[in-house]
Structures are given as C-alpha cells and as structure tokens.
C-alpha cells in the first residue's frame, strides 16, 4: 500500500500563566493620638516668648490657643503642624503678642490652670472705652478683683519699648490687697483729683500698649519695685517670684488678664 503522510497537527498553545497572587496591602495605620500630641508639644516648646496650648479632639481636629510673638512665627507653626500625619483639621485661635508684651504674659500664663474660672479673674476697665489714646491724654484704670478671689492685685502698664510702669502697688497706692469684687481706681485726670494718685499721661512710643492685671492669694514681691523699670529687669524678678511658690499651693492661686490699647498722635 502507498504510504500516506499525515499533516502535522498544530501544537496547542501553552496555557496562560496564572497571575501570581499578591497580598492585599495592609491599611496604613493612623498615627497614635499620643504621638500627635507629642509632636505638637515639641513644636510649641521651641517657641520663644510665646504661650501656646494645643488640644486634639476625637475627630483629630487640633485646637491651638494662646499667643506667639510674631506673624512669621505664627505662619511657621501653622505650616509645621499641617505636616503632622493624622491631623485632619487645625482650628487656629492664636493671637500675636510681640515683645515686650509676650515676655510678661508668658511668665504669667505658665501658671495657667484648668481650675481658673471667670469669677477668679480680675477685670480691667479704662477711661477710654474704645481703648485708643492720643499722646497727651490721661490713662485712668479701674481694676476689680474677681468676685471669688481675695488676695494681692498687681497692675502694670507696658509700652512697646519695654518700659513698665507699676500702677499697683505704687508709691501712692501701696496697699494692693483687695477683697472679692473690690475695685480700685489707678491714675487721675489732673493733679487736683481727690484720689491723690499719679497723673499718667500717655507718651510715645506710638503703637500698641498694654495694661496687665494679675492677682495672687499670696504677696509676690517681698520688696517694692521701682515705680518705672524695664521689662528686662522686671520679668526675671517676676519669674523668680512665681518659681518660688510652694508646689502645695492651690492650683488657682494666680489669675491674670490684660487689655491692649492703641497709642496715636
């Protein structure tokens, strides 16, 4: 028989390779709230002449309160905080308090406590209710102790050059112990005023000024300070007096407040 040659059958294509199974990527872990707080605290601790406090809410919103020394510092802090992983939103309530005001305020605010209530805070009322003073005008301050606070009240005026005038106690107002809700008037409109206090006339430098009041249940300064001195001399002495307080004293034994004014020609 005639041999037949069979046509070669085409080879079947190899099976498609099965894809290599890849593990599902693990979800990225959210940063621990304590880690976030520590990072924010580290940024705040690097600030000079400032008093800023941070609170992280359950939805990872960061609340910033207090003050810093300049707009530049404020922007730098905002930028650094926004880069911290895990913070969803920043609610910024920081003010700008330039030197020398930040130096005195930060010394007082370091003793801020959650136990402080509005009834413990002193109140400041000025004779110009719009808080604007033309040079040559007189400054009269009514300082009132908190309705639940009894102790020693201190009132200072600071200008933007760093000069501090001690309104209370002063050479003519030496008794600075006040009872709850008690008020005292500091300054006079003219020398013949029946109060017998000094006439405090507003003078340059122009720009911001500040009246600061703070009350202590214990006398802070063992000796009378100069009626007028520099922030550089006063703030270290105040810090030393505050640092000498006994750790066993009540947490709400110091209360402070301030009012900013604007000085113009």
């Amino acid at each position: 028989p005639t041999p037949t040659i069979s046509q070669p059958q085409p080879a079947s294509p190899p099976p498609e390779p099965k894809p290599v199974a890849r593990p599902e990527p693990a979800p990225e872990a959210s940063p621990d709230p304590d880690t976030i707080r520590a990072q924010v605290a580290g940024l705040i601790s690097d600030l000079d002449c400032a008093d800023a406090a941070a609170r992280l809410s359950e939805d990872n919103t960061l609340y910033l309160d207090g003050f810093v020394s300049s707009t530049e510092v404020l922007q730098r802090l905002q930028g650094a905080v926004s880069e911290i992983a895990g913070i969803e939103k920043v609610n910024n309530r920081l003010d700008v308090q330039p030197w020398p005001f930040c130096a005195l305020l930060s010394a007082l605010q370091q003793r801020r406590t959650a136990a402080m209530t509005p009834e413990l805070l002193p109140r400041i009322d000025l004779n110009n209710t719009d808080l604007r003073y033309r040079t040559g005008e007189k400054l009269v301050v009514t300082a009132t102790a908190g309705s639940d606070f009894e102790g020693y009240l201190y009132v200072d005026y600071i200008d933007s050059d760093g000069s501090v005038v001690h309104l209370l106690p002063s050479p003519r107002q030496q008794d600075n112990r006040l009872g709850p809700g008690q008020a005292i008037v500091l300054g006079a409109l003219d020398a013949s005023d029946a109060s017998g206090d000094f006439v405090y006339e507003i003078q340059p430098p122009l720009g911001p000024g500040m009246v600061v009041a703070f009350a202590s249940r214990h006398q802070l300064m063992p000796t009378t300070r100069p009626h007028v001195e520099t922030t550089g001399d006063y703030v270290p002495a105040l810090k030393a007096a505050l640092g000498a307080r006994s750790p066993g004293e009540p947490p709400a034994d110091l209360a402070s407040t301030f009012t900013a004014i604007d000085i113009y020609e």
Side-chain angles (χ1 to χ4, degrees):
T2 303
T4 61
I5 299 175
S6 60
Q7 297 295 325
Q9 298 296 316
S12 59
E16 289 286 334
K18 293 182 179 179
V20 177
R22 296 180 180 275
E24 291 291 329
E28 189 173 337
S30 298
D32 180 79
D34 289 338
T35 300
I36 297 175
R37 293 187 191 97
Q39 290 177 297
V40 175
L43 293 173
I44 290 176
S45 67
D46 288 338
L47 301 178
D48 292 325
C49 205
D51 182 79
R55 178 176 64 85
L56 188 67
S57 67
E58 291 183 358
D59 64 353
N60 282 356
T61 297
L62 185 73
Y63 292 86
L64 293 173
D65 291 282
F67 59 86
V68 295
S69 60
S70 69
T71 303
E72 179 186 358
V73 171
L74 178 61
Q75 293 172 342
R76 195 164 64 241
L77 178 61
Q78 286 177 315
V81 165
S82 66
E83 294 179 0
I84 295 178
I87 295 178
E88 299 295 334
K89 182 182 176 182
V90 177
N91 190 325
N92 176 28
R93 298 181 292 203
L94 290 169
D95 293 325
V96 173
Q97 296 291 349
W99 186 93
F101 313 117
C102 60
L104 179 54
L105 294 179
S106 60
L108 294 169
Q109 297 284 23
Q110 286 174 4
R111 291 185 63 91
R112 178 180 52 200
T113 168
M116 192 56 55
T117 64
E119 292 76 22
L120 296 172
L121 297 175
R123 192 178 78 241
I124 299 171
D125 295 298
L126 305 184
N127 56 319
N128 283 12
T129 56
D130 63 357
L131 307 182
R132 301 187 74 241
Y133 286 83
R134 188 185 298 274
T135 55
E137 288 189 316
K138 312 303 189 292
L139 174 69
V140 180
V141 178
T142 301
T144 307
S147 60
D148 285 349
F149 200 101
E150 181 175 5
Y152 295 86
L153 184 65
Y154 299 82
V155 183
D156 298 321
Y157 170 77
I158 310 139
D159 67 24
S160 59
D161 277 355
S163 294
V164 181
V165 181
H166 300 300
L167 307 182
L168 184 72
S170 76
R172 293 184 183 174
Q173 294 274 16
Q174 296 186 20
D175 184 6
N176 67 328
R177 183 171 180 83
L178 272 69
Q182 184 179 350
I184 185 170
V185 177
L186 308 170
L189 292 176
D190 60 67
S192 62
D193 192 296
S195 72
D197 200 3
F198 290 98
V199 175
Y200 295 110
E201 183 174 296
I202 297 293
Q203 295 294 337
L206 305 180
M210 184 175 288
V211 179
V212 178
F214 55 100
S216 168
R217 298 193 190 278
H218 311 281
Q219 194 161 6
L220 280 175
M221 301 296 185
T223 58
T224 303
R225 304 291 304 175
H227 192 196
V228 181
E229 62 179 325
T230 66
T231 304
D233 289 334
Y234 179 45
V235 170
L238 178 60
K239 285 183 176 180
L242 293 172
R245 312 286 290 280
S246 167
E249 291 177 353
D253 64 350
L254 185 80
S256 61
T257 189
F258 67 91
T259 297
I261 69 172
D262 182 43
I263 301 167
Y264 66 103
E265 285 190 300

